């Protein structure tokens, strides 16, 4: 198993959390971990490129729409 912990700011107030990425048996587990709660979602590793493409598309659309709104 490969574990990678990334510290990110979350939208949850008063919580210090880490985003945890774990890979085991061709599955990627992504979740938040604090001292009391573990919440994970699971992806097949083969689906990761499609997920990344979708996230980049969403980011680009939001960025472009924000620029267009600021120009008006």
């Amino acid at each position: 198993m490969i574990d990678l912990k990334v510290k990110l700011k979350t939208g949850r107030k008063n919580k210090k959390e880490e985003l945890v990425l774990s890979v085991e048996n061709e599955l990627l587990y992504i979740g938040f971990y604090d001292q009391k709660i573990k919440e994970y979602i699971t992806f097949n590793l083969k689906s990761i490129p499609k997920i990344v493409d979708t996230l980049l598309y969403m980011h680009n659309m939001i960025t472009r729409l924000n620029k267009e709104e600021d120009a008006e």
Side-chain angles (χ1 to χ4, degrees):
M1 178 182 355
I2 299 171
D3 285 332
L4 173 65
K5 292 184 180 179
V6 181
K7 292 184 180 181
L8 296 174
K9 290 183 180 180
T10 65
R12 302 176 189 200
K13 295 182 180 182
N14 301 320
K15 289 207 174 209
K16 292 183 179 180
E17 295 178 311
E18 294 179 330
L19 181 64
V20 178
L21 304 168
S22 298
V23 176
E24 184 177 350
N25 299 327
E26 298 289 321
L27 295 174
L28 171 66
Y29 298 92
I30 301 175
F32 293 106
Y33 173 80
D34 66 16
Q35 293 176 353
K36 298 176 185 174
I37 301 172
K38 295 179 185 175
E39 300 175 22
Y40 287 94
I41 57 174
T42 306
F43 297 100
N44 184 314
L45 282 177
K46 293 177 183 176
S47 67
I48 298 303
K50 185 180 271 189
I51 294 167
V52 170
D53 286 346
T54 303
L55 291 172
L56 287 171
Y57 175 79
M58 291 170 61
H59 176 268
N60 290 336
M61 291 302 293
I62 291 169
T63 302
R64 190 177 83 190
L65 289 173
N66 286 340
K67 286 182 184 177
E68 290 175 1
E69 288 177 2
D70 290 341
E72 293 178 1

